[in-house]
Amino acid sequence: MSYYEKIYRDNELTSRASNVYRYLCDRANADGQCWPSVRRIAKDLSLSPSTVKRAIEDLTSHGYIKIEQRFRKSGANSSLMFTVPDFSKYRTPKG
């Protein structure tokens, strides 16, 4: 089963959330982590930032992703780190 298959079967997940999920999976490292900004996601997917935020809320509430706020050394907010749980078991080595 691919990491996309579970979102295809989830009838409660919106299409915007599915698109953002695929975006995050495509950019995730081997540990399932990536840290694009909401603005970057919106630009790359031709969505508004508020639509991306709603999609992230949907994905978080359904358990598809986890979010961690990262901080700079000064204590100021940095980018969010998105983690796709169990991502590594689906990822195939590049070769």
Side-chain angles (χ1 to χ4, degrees), residues 6 10 13 21 57-66 83-86:
K6 63 183 177 180
D10 190 339
L13 202 63
Y21 181 78
E57 289 173 12
D58 292 345
L59 292 168
T60 304
S61 68
H62 282 87
Y64 287 105
I65 63 172
K66 295 179 182 177
T83 303
V84 180
D86 299 326

Side-chain angles (χ1 to χ4, degrees), residues 42-58:
K43 182 177 180 183
D44 289 350
L45 295 179
S46 299
L47 299 171
S48 71
S50 59
T51 298
V52 171
K53 288 177 186 177
R54 286 193 303 272
I56 290 169
E57 289 173 12
D58 292 345

Side-chain angles (χ1 to χ4, degrees), residues 1 19 22 28 36-37 45 48 54 60 65 68 71-72 75 78-81 84:
M1 172 189 331
N19 287 337
R22 285 190 300 271
S37 68
L45 295 179
S48 71
R54 286 193 303 272
T60 304
I65 63 172
E68 181 183 330
F71 298 95
R72 293 184 171 86
S78 182
S79 61
L80 296 173
M81 182 171 63
V84 180

Side-chain angles (χ1 to χ4, degrees), residues 23-25 27-29 32-36 80-84:
Y23 180 92
L24 296 173
C25 287
R27 280 143 186 84
N29 63 17
Q33 300 172 333
C34 61
W35 37 93
L80 296 173
M81 182 171 63
F82 299 96
T83 303
V84 180

